Amino acid sequence: DAKTTQPNSMESNEEEPVHLPCNHSTISGTDYIHWYRQLPSQGPEYVIHGLTSNVNNRMASLAIAEDRKSSTLILHRATLRDAAVYYCILGGTSYGKLTFGQGTILTVHP
Amino acid sequence: GAVVSQHPSWVICKSGTSVKIECRSLDFQATTMFWYRQFPKQSLMLMATSNEGSKATYEQGVEKDKFLINHASLTLSTLTVTSAHPEDSSFYICSASEGFSFNEQFFGPGTRLTVL
């Protein structure tokens, strides 16, 4: 499976935008880029996914580089409830299997 | 959105006993369910993939005789940790998806297992 590289941690202030980067230089043409987040002691929660084009939903935006070797999850206005571990995952392999990396711990300051 | 539940949310058991964890998709039919394990301050590790009516596919290094998975219906999968030992203490999380190819996975809230 292609791997992703994310910063271990990032910090933000409440109500400011947050850009969470992810590198995936070995991505294949059929790999989707998924983002999930996990709050402490909870199961992960789907955030967004995309293939080639930028994507927006009510939670976030996903900006995908033209060569697809990197992507950025954008939280437009961080809130304290956005503090979580954010995982960037490549998927689209058999049966939708997801391989989680270490993720980025996002801390949001009031 | 789709909801996945797990039961129990936490369990404490004695070494040598078996523990069953249930994973249910409440408002959709889950063609595929996944079981993960997560140790403190670590990421999720996929243990196995199960499809309704079929045998589970285990990841390399996961003992299939120790972690028994049954996916008897489109809304229920169970994970049984047999002869549990303290090193099996972990956070077990299931997820479910509706299709065979990529689909959004819906995760359960997790089950905290502590083996004394």
Side-chain angles (χ1 to χ4, degrees), chain A residues 34 36 38 41-44 46 49 87 92 95-98 100-102, chain B residues 34 36 38 43-44 46 51 59 91 93 100 102 104-105 107-109 112:
Chain A
H34 310 257
Y36 284 78
Q38 185 180 25
S41 298
Q42 295 187 28
Y46 168 83
H49 79 276
Y87 297 100
Y95 298 103
K97 188 170 79 171
L98 300 176
F100 284 77
Q102 291 305 306
Chain B
F34 304 86
Y36 297 83
Q38 186 175 34
S43 187
L44 283 77
L46 179 65
N51 295 295
E59 294 299 302
F91 193 47
I93 307 168
F100 289 105
F102 163 70
E104 176 185 343
Q105 285 190 27
F107 284 81
R112 177 78 58 192

Side-chain angles (χ1 to χ4, degrees), chain A residues 38-44, chain B residues 3-9 22-24 91-94 106-112:
Chain A
Q38 185 180 25
L39 278 66
S41 298
Q42 295 187 28
Chain B
V3 178
V4 174
S5 69
Q6 282 186 240
H7 177 80
S9 55
E22 292 187 350
C23 176
R24 292 181 184 273
F91 193 47
Y92 291 87
I93 307 168
C94 72
F106 303 98
F107 284 81
T111 296
R112 177 78 58 192

Side-chain angles (χ1 to χ4, degrees), chain A residues 32-39 42-51 53 55-62 73 75 82 84-89 96 98 100, chain B residues 1-2 4 44 93-97 102-108:
Chain A
Y32 283 83
I33 302 160
H34 310 257
W35 284 83
Y36 284 78
R37 71 181 185 182
Q38 185 180 25
L39 278 66
Q42 295 187 28
E45 172 188 31
Y46 168 83
V47 178
I48 202 167
H49 79 276
L51 185 61
S53 303
V55 185
N56 299 296
N57 66 22
R58 64 175 179 81
M59 288 181 69
S61 296
L62 176 60
L73 178 70
L75 306 179
D82 291 323
V85 180
Y86 285 79
Y87 297 100
C88 169
I89 306 166
L98 300 176
F100 284 77
Chain B
V4 174
L44 283 77
I93 307 168
C94 72
S95 71
S97 67
F102 163 70
N103 276 290
E104 176 185 343
Q105 285 190 27
F106 303 98
F107 284 81

